[in-house]
């Protein structure tokens, strides 16, 4: 498996576990709106992380 595929698989699994934790179990009693913002923030942070990695790879001249 390629490293990029493993990275995306881990992102998806963590996202699913986070969603289950916030929506199904909800141990800290967050509202649905707050839970949605946390999930959206997780997705945005992953997108920023991916962009930074791409910029670093393009500066080094590496390919994936």
């Amino acid at each position: 498996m390629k490293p990029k595929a493993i990275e995306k698989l881990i992102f998806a699994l963590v996202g699913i576990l986070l969603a289950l934790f916030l929506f199904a179990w909800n141990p800290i009693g967050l509202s649905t709106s707050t839970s949605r913002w946390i999930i959206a923030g997780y997705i945005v942070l992953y997108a920023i992380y991916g962009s930074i990695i791409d910029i670093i790879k393009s500066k080094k001249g590496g390919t994936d």
Side-chain angles (χ1 to χ4, degrees), residues 4-62:
K4 191 75 170 171
I6 293 170
E7 179 183 323
K8 288 184 180 189
L9 180 64
I10 290 171
F11 168 73
L13 289 174
V14 170
I16 290 168
L17 290 174
L18 182 63
L20 286 173
F21 179 77
L22 291 174
F23 289 111
W25 188 35
N26 197 9
I28 50 180
L30 294 175
S31 69
T32 303
S33 177
T34 304
S35 297
R36 286 183 185 147
W37 277 108
I38 292 171
I39 297 291
Y42 175 72
I43 293 169
V44 168
L45 285 175
Y46 180 75
I48 292 169
Y49 164 77
S51 299
I52 291 170
I53 295 299
D54 288 343
I55 290 169
I56 291 170
K57 282 184 181 179
S58 68
K59 285 186 178 182
K60 287 183 179 179

